[in-house]
């Protein structure tokens, strides 16, 4: 029977105001390395660097904490980027032949990146068909001349067009066609062949009227734009790849497709010159690959630098990604693991300086950024304070640790410094230092831990905008392997390496040590008959003493039997216990005594697939699909039977609702019927979560250590632990065994998987972590009032009283496939209006990518936001919440997106940049400069420009920019003042028709996006502080 429940009480204005002071959704910063970089630029005056990506993102970096991000309207690849020196403006070229001018704009001391103008190259015929000029075909190269006021555009047809940069308009009458250049070329060189595309354009540092033009055929021309004539011509016969013009103008260096480079004298000799002064193939004489780019940097010592990419022998090293650095007789080949995108040198660009004197070399690769110190002997690498490659090995899991004590932080930093000692020379500092970081020092230190496929755990400083690597923990050295780890990683399948069938307990040590690791085994099947493990064998640990560097050193190794993947793990350092779970059960291990405490098998008699290891995924998927379709058919059949009987009831309820009026009552959504899951579902014994708590389990008068375990079938096991108390004044507890007794066992009605378990104290707050209360890092829990346990499943949240374990309150999240809980965390939200006021709430991420916030222990919905696209399955699976209302999720294999649910606790770039605008320059704004809120295209709250203190910017008010809709600025709040038993809107059973509807809606959305008006497009601008 369908029921309507009415509430007389509406929304509370004071509570709505308090919500605005506690909650606010922001996507703040993207940590890590840009995904699929495609272009690179450097401003030597401002000392800032820009990186463009294939998705159309523009990211500018300066000193640590100085970051600017923008996104082109069209998701086109950024092929070239050029800074206007000292102006804080960058010109980008996309693969659709469009040019975009970006500028860093200041509002009340805060800077952000905006697109000022854009230019679309006209298609054939030319923009002025009556002029008879050659057509502006595909743009191949861009050169900024005359201090950035004019740009030369080289094209595929061999013509060069000139563009006025402040207005991005073509200059008529200055186009240079290939026919005009051919008039200065000898007749025997023409021989009926075209010059080919313009491969390179270089400007003269001291004379802006001269341009060095390089054509694909090999012809080099020094063109005087003022006199409209060719001053020097170099008749190259090899296909040209790149050109570099030495700062004095006396030397020209060209690189070619046969792996050679040539040096031409530009100030002496005959013109045209038929032969270069020097021509060499560095890795010859065998056939070599092309040298894609070459740089010549002069030094006062006479030992000049020649830096080039490519040129390796085809047969031996044709698949290598190399950059070679040559100085005098010294040749160093830098062999990288990913493709070279571009590189530049940090050197003097002042016209009065006679030599370049390069300080550093920056190489942008497809997977990382490498910077070398060219002033220190040996040219060591300079550690990067940001743009760290998160994905040196694929990320498999992540966790965040908040409020790290200062002493522990210092020990972790010290261990990381011993792993990668800094060069002794003080000259090897980070060369990209532009801008000023205006953000305050973080009050608390936060660690982001990432687990990787190669068995490493990396520690990152996540306290501020720049994600900085601190320490790397390697676990592969514990086990015997048949081959090197790098080889096995390339050859093994997904589940072969690393075999996460082990639990390691590691202890932080400040000194290197050589010790034997204690190995223990725990049989989770408990000799149960009828089960045969068909998966991989467990790894063999290395025997004998092993050397371990300073840092986290293994104390105990626990191997599960059968050796299945560990699905859940938790550690209590104060009690010396570690709990772990697999698809077969869970175990408890005392790592102080190195002895097992408990083993519990959670397998159902029909869980035969759990014994087959990773090979059973296909069978499990097929069975899951069959069961899903059976539920769909069953629900449809039962729905048809109820349709006739319930039609009259629906009419009566509708009439009653109309009589009451929408202003007097508020109707709660109707509860949807939840289909219970079968008890014999495959993999029902998988342990999903484990939890330690000091609470009341046996009776209401005595509290003690407990362990909680939740499984895939909705079962919760609570064990009372007898942990010997430590001797007064000592840290070690007596050598007495820990005992575990089953206290409670809860079976959820609909057998939904248990996602998380947490115990709340008498004030409704979560219990502190181990050692936090004893070392005054957190407030001591209330042990006087009654405790409660919060159990979060994929379908609902439920609070039970302790020790009776009776249901107190619940919130049902719709149980259809369209909306399930994926991640849950308890977080503290501080008020922006009152420093002393805060609330502890439950943050939840669903499989639709929405984030919901609930009060605890009442479980009343507060706000919900659209955070991640529901199609981004990997992003939803990788999400991790922090304890202060923030979160991280992967937007690409190499980038974490950071978001904040708190109105007060926000980590975002707040910086400024001193720019030099040329005299007479006007601030021209484009009529259409829309930018999405995130570089990866994920949805987010559209932010209006704000000043440093968060108040609305007065400049933006004068521009009469229409405000975004209210629904985009304010959180979608769900009031539940009197009832916590509410169902959220979500989709039902997924069918083929639903998929078709979704595809159609996506096409309509794209069509609507193209038809945005100028006012709507302007409202999509973002503010990046």
């Amino acid at each position: 029977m369908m029921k309507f429940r009415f509430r007389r009480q509406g929304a509370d204005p004071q509570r709505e105001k308090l919500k605005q002071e506690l909650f606010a959704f922001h996507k703040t910063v993207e940590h890590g390395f840009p995904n699929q970089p495609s272009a690179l630029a450097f401003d030597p005056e401002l000392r800032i660097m820009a990186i463009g990506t294939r998705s159309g993102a523009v990211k500018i970096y300066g000193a640590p904490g100085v970051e600017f991000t923008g996104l082109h309207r069209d998701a086109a690849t950024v092929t070239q980027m050029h800074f206007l020196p000292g102006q804080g403006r960058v010109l980008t070229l996309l693969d659709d032949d469009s040019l975009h001018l970006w500028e860093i704009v200041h509002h009340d001391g805060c800077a952000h990146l905006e697109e000022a103008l854009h230019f679309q190259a006209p298609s054939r015929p030319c923009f002025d068909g009556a002029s008879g000029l050659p057509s502006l075909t595909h743009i191949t190269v861009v050169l900024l001349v005359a201090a950035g006021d004019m740009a030369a555009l080289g094209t595929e047809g061999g013509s060069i067009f000139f563009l006025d940069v402040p207005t991005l308009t073509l200059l008529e009458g200055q186009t240079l066609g290939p026919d005009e250049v051919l008039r200065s070329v000898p007749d025997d060189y023409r021989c009926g062949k075209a010059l080919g595309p313009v491969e390179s354009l270089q400007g003269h540092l001291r004379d802006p009227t001269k341009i060095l033009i390089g054509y694909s055929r090999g012809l080099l021309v020094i063109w005087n734009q003022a006199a409209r004539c060719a001053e020097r011509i170099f008749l190259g016969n090899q296909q040209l790849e790149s050109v570099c013009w030495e700062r004095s103008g006396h030397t020209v260096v060209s690189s070619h497709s046969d792996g050679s480079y040539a040096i031409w004298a530009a100030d002496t000799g005959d013109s045209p010159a038929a032969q270069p002064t020097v021509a060499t193939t560095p890795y010859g004489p065998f056939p070599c690959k092309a040298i894609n780019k070459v740089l010549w940097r002069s030094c006062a010592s006479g030992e000049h630098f020649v830096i080039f990419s490519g040129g390796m022998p085809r047969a031996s090293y044709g698949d290598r990604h190399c950059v070679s650095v040559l100085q005098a007789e010294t040749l160093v080949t830098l062999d990288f693991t990913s493709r070279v995108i571009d590189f530049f040198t940090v050197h003097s660009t002042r016209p009065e300086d006679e030599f370049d004197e390069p300080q550093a070399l920056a190489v942008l690769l497809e997977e990382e950024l490498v910077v070398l110190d060219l002033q220190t002997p040996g040219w060591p690498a300079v550690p990067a304070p940001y743009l760290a490659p998160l994905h040196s090995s694929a990320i498999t899991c992540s966790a965040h640790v908040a409020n790290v004590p200062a002493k522990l932080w210092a020990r972790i930093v010290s261990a990381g410094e011993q792993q990668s000692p800094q060069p002794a020379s003080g000259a090897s500092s980070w060369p990209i230092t532009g801008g000023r970081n205006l953000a305050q020092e973080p009050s608390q230190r936060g660690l982001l831990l990432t687990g990787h496929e190669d068995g490493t755990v990396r520690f990152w400083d996540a306290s501020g905008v720049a994600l900085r690597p601190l320490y790397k923990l390697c676990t592969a050295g514990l086990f015997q392997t048949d081959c090197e780890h790098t080889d096995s990683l390339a050859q093994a399948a997904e589940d072969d390496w690393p075999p996460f069938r082990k639990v390691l307990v590691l202890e932080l040590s400040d000194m290197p040590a050589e010790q034997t690791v204690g190995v223990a085994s725990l049989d989770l099947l408990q000799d149960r008959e009828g089960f045969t493990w068909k998966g991989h064998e467990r790894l063999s640990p290395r025997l004998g003493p092993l050397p371990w560097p300073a840092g986290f050193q293994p104390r105990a190794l626990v191997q599960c039997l059968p050796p299945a993947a560990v699905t859940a793990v938790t550690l209590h350092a104060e009690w010396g216990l570690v709990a772990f779970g697999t698809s077969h059960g869970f175990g408890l291990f005392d790592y102080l005594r190195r002895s097992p405490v408990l083993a519990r098998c959670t397998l159902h008699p029909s869980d035969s697939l759990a014994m087959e290891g990773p090979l059973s995924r296909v069978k499990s998927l097929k069975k899951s699909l069959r069961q899903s379709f059976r539920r769909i058919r069953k629900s449809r059949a039962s729905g048809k039977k109820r349709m006739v009987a319930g039609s009259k009831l629906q009419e009566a309820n509708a009439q009653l609702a109309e009589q009451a009026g929408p202003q007097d009552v508020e109707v709660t959504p109707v509860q949807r019927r939840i289909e219970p899951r079968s008890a014999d579902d495959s993999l029902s014994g998988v342990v999903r979560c484990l939890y330690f708590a000091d609470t009341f389990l046996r009776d209401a008068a005595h509290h003690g250590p407990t362990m909680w375990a939740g499984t895939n079938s909705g079962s919760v096991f609570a064990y009372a632990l007898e942990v010997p108390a430590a001797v007064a004044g000592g840290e070690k507890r007596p050598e007495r065994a820990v005992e575990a007794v089953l206290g409670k066992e809860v079976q959820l009605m609909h057998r939904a998987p248990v996602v998380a378990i947490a115990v709340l104290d008498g004030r409704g707050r979560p219990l502190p972590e181990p050692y936090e209360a004893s070392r005054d890092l957190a407030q001591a829990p209330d042990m006087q009032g009654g405790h409660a346990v919060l159990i979060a499943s994929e379908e609902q949240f439920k609070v039970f009283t302790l020790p009776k374990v009776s249901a107190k309150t619940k919130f049902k999240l719709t149980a259809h496939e369209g909306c399930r809980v994926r991640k849950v965390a308890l977080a503290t939200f501080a008020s922006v209006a009152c420093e002393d006021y805060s609330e502890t709430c439950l943050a939840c991420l669903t499989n639709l990518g929405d984030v919901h916030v609930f009060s605890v222990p009442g479980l009343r919905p507060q706000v919900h936001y659209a955070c991640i696209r529901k199609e981004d399955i990997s992003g939803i699976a990788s999400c991790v919440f922090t304890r202060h209302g923030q979160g991280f999720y992967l937007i690409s294999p190499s980038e974490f997106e950071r978001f904040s649910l708190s109105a007060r606790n926000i980590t975002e770039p707040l910086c400024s940049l001193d720019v030099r605008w040329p005299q007479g320059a006007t601030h021209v704004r484009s009529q259409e400069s829309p930018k999405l809120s995130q570089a990866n295209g994920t949805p987010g709250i559209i932010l209006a420009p704000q000043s440093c203190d968060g108040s609305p910017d007065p400049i933006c008010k004068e521009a009469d920019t229409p405000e975004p809709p209210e629904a985009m600025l304010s959180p979608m709040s769900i009031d539940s003042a009197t009832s916590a038993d509410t169902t959220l809107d979500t989709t039902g059973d997924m069918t083929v028709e639903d998929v078709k509807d979704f595809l159609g809606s996506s096409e309509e959305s794209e069509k609507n996006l193209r038809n945005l008006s100028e006012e709507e497009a302007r409202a999509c601008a973002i503010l990046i502080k």
Side-chain angles (χ1 to χ4, degrees), residues 324-346:
S324 301
V325 183
L326 175 64
Q327 185 185 27
E329 300 298 327
T330 303
L331 175 62
V332 174
T333 304
L334 309 173
D335 187 10
F336 300 107
T337 57
S338 58
R339 185 170 59 93
V340 178
I341 303 299
D342 201 354
F343 58 92
F344 64 84
T345 58
V346 180

Side-chain angles (χ1 to χ4, degrees), residues 890-911:
L890 288 173
I891 56 176
S892 71
S894 60
E895 290 176 290
F896 269 112
E897 177 75 75
R898 187 173 193 148
F899 64 91
S900 175
L901 304 173
S902 172
R904 180 175 173 182
N905 186 19
I906 302 176
T907 303
E908 60 182 348
L910 186 62
C911 50

Side-chain angles (χ1 to χ4, degrees), residues 310-637:
M312 303 303 294
R314 288 184 177 274
S316 304
Y317 304 101
D319 58 344
R320 299 294 182 92
H321 311 288
C322 299
V323 172
S324 301
V325 183
L326 175 64
Q327 185 185 27
E329 300 298 327
T330 303
L331 175 62
V332 174
T333 304
L334 309 173
D335 187 10
F336 300 107
T337 57
S338 58
R339 185 170 59 93
V340 178
I341 303 299
D342 201 354
F343 58 92
F344 64 84
T345 58
V346 180
H347 61 277
S348 173
T349 57
R350 294 176 299 182
E352 58 271 16
D353 292 340
E354 185 178 357
F355 300 100
D356 294 315
E357 298 295 347
Q359 305 169 13
L361 169 65
V363 183
L364 176 64
L365 307 169
E366 200 168 34
E367 304 290 346
E368 60 182 328
L369 177 73
V370 178
V371 177
L372 301 180
D373 179 16
L374 297 181
Q375 293 183 332
T376 302
W379 303 333
V382 181
Y386 47 81
L387 289 179
L390 301 175
H391 61 314
S392 55
S393 177
I395 297 176
T396 56
C397 58
S398 57
H400 184 269
V401 182
N403 196 18
V404 180
K407 292 183 179 179
L408 176 60
W409 185 274
R411 295 177 65 186
I412 295 176
V413 172
S414 175
E417 291 176 349
Q418 295 182 44
Q419 285 183 338
S420 55
Q422 305 295 325
S425 174
S428 60
S429 59
W430 185 248
I432 304 168
T433 58
R436 296 189 306 274
N437 184 13
L438 304 179
Q440 298 180 355
E441 285 293 325
S443 58
Q444 295 181 350
R445 296 292 184 182
L447 275 177
L448 180 65
L449 278 66
T450 56
H452 299 263
E453 269 191 351
D454 61 354
T456 60
V457 179
R458 297 175 183 267
F459 293 65
W460 307 88
D461 179 5
S463 308
V465 172
L467 193 67
R468 185 169 59 94
L470 296 180
Y471 172 73
K472 182 176 73 171
L473 171 64
C474 300
T475 62
L478 270 173
F479 303 95
Q480 299 177 3
T481 54
D482 297 333
C483 56
E484 292 296 327
H485 169 60
T486 54
D487 297 333
S488 62
L489 183 62
Q491 299 173 3
E494 177 183 354
D495 293 294
D496 291 342
W497 185 273
F500 286 122
R501 298 180 284 273
K502 54 189 177 292
V503 176
L504 293 176
V505 180
L506 302 107
E507 191 173 12
L508 184 61
S509 175
D510 297 329
M511 299 298 294
E514 184 173 349
Q515 59 185 8
T516 302
V517 180
V519 181
S521 299
L522 197 59
D523 187 5
L524 299 180
L525 291 182
Q526 300 172 327
D527 299 329
R528 182 175 295 191
E529 298 180 356
F531 291 92
T532 304
W533 174 248
K534 301 178 183 179
H536 303 286
E537 293 296 328
R538 60 176 177 175
L539 288 176
S540 300
R542 293 185 178 180
L543 304 178
L546 297 175
W548 298 102
F552 284 93
Q553 299 171 354
R555 184 167 185 172
L557 170 63
V558 186
Q559 292 187 306
C560 308
L561 294 176
V566 175
T567 57
V569 65
T570 185
L571 180 141
H572 201 291
E574 205 165 354
W575 300 339
L577 299 176
V578 58
F580 48 88
T582 69
S583 56
H584 307 114
F586 57 89
L588 182 63
F589 187 79
D590 181 357
Y591 65 83
L592 294 181
R593 300 181 68 249
R594 293 180 174 85
S595 62
V597 177
L598 169 70
R600 173 68 182 262
C601 182
T602 57
L603 285 177
H604 191 271
S606 64
D607 282 348
S608 59
L609 292 179
M611 305 305 299
E612 299 185 12
L615 300 179
S616 65
R617 291 182 177 179
V618 178
K619 298 180 182 179
S620 177
L621 178 61
K622 290 181 180 179
K623 186 173 181 181
S624 177
L625 289 175
R626 286 197 301 267
Q627 292 171 350
S628 298
F629 280 107
R630 288 172 184 171
R631 284 197 299 266
I632 292 172
R633 288 194 295 268
K634 183 179 179 181
S635 61
R636 286 180 176 176

Side-chain angles (χ1 to χ4, degrees), residues 18 33-34 297 419 480-481 531 601 660 675 755 786 806 833 896 959 983:
L18 186 58
F33 187 78
R297 295 293 179 250
Q419 285 183 338
Q480 299 177 3
T481 54
F531 291 92
C601 182
E675 292 288 343
V755 178
S806 59
F896 269 112
T983 303

Side-chain angles (χ1 to χ4, degrees), residues 122 128 198 261 449 567 704 1014 1025:
D128 187 4
V198 179
Y261 69 86
L449 278 66
T567 57
E1014 296 179 0
K1025 296 181 181 178

Side-chain angles (χ1 to χ4, degrees), residues 133-410:
L133 296 175
S135 62
L136 181 54
T137 55
H138 177 61
I139 300 175
T140 56
V141 64
V142 177
L143 171 67
L144 293 177
V145 295
D149 294 335
M150 184 171 62
L153 310 179
T155 64
E156 198 171 37
S159 302
I160 300 175
F161 295 82
F162 291 88
L163 192 74
D164 182 54
V165 174
T167 59
L168 285 192
T169 56
L170 286 175
L171 299 175
E172 299 184 17
Q174 298 193 29
T175 303
L176 175 62
D179 295 338
E180 192 172 356
V181 175
L182 283 173
R183 298 192 189 105
S184 305
V185 176
D187 295 338
D188 57 345
Y189 188 82
R190 300 179 194 175
C191 63
K193 293 184 179 180
L195 297 178
V198 179
E199 290 291 343
S200 181
L201 292 174
Q202 297 291 322
H204 197 287
L205 183 62
R206 298 185 176 89
D207 189 354
T209 62
K210 296 181 180 180
I211 300 176
L212 175 61
I213 308 171
Y215 293 93
S216 177
R217 182 179 169 186
L219 179 67
L220 302 178
V221 178
I222 297 180
W223 183 263
N224 192 321
Q225 181 65 7
R228 302 289 298 181
C229 66
E231 292 191 355
R232 298 281 298 177
I233 295 178
F234 309 96
L235 304 177
N237 293 316
Q238 190 59 243
Q239 180 178 339
L240 185 70
E241 294 291 333
S242 70
V243 173
C244 179
W245 203 353
E246 189 258 340
R247 68 181 296 132
S248 65
H250 301 328
T251 305
V252 172
V253 183
S254 62
S255 66
H256 302 275
S257 61
D258 62 347
S260 65
Y261 69 86
I263 301 176
W264 307 79
D267 55 345
T268 59
D270 299 332
S271 181
Q275 296 295 330
T277 305
V278 177
T280 180
T281 304
Y283 297 101
F286 299 104
C288 298
K289 299 196 71 174
I291 294 181
N292 302 314
K293 181 178 180 178
V294 64
L295 294 179
W296 175 285
R297 295 293 179 250
S298 59
C299 298
S301 61
E303 297 180 346
H304 309 305
F305 280 90
V306 178
I307 307 171
F308 58 91
S309 62
M312 303 303 294
R314 288 184 177 274
S316 304
Y317 304 101
D319 58 344
R320 299 294 182 92
H321 311 288
C322 299
V323 172
S324 301
V325 183
L326 175 64
Q327 185 185 27
E329 300 298 327
T330 303
L331 175 62
V332 174
T333 304
L334 309 173
D335 187 10
F336 300 107
T337 57
S338 58
R339 185 170 59 93
V340 178
I341 303 299
D342 201 354
F343 58 92
F344 64 84
T345 58
V346 180
H347 61 277
S348 173
T349 57
R350 294 176 299 182
E352 58 271 16
D353 292 340
E354 185 178 357
F355 300 100
D356 294 315
E357 298 295 347
Q359 305 169 13
L361 169 65
V363 183
L364 176 64
L365 307 169
E366 200 168 34
E367 304 290 346
E368 60 182 328
L369 177 73
V370 178
V371 177
L372 301 180
D373 179 16
L374 297 181
Q375 293 183 332
T376 302
W379 303 333
V382 181
Y386 47 81
L387 289 179
L390 301 175
H391 61 314
S392 55
S393 177
I395 297 176
T396 56
C397 58
S398 57
H400 184 269
V401 182
N403 196 18
V404 180
K407 292 183 179 179
L408 176 60
W409 185 274

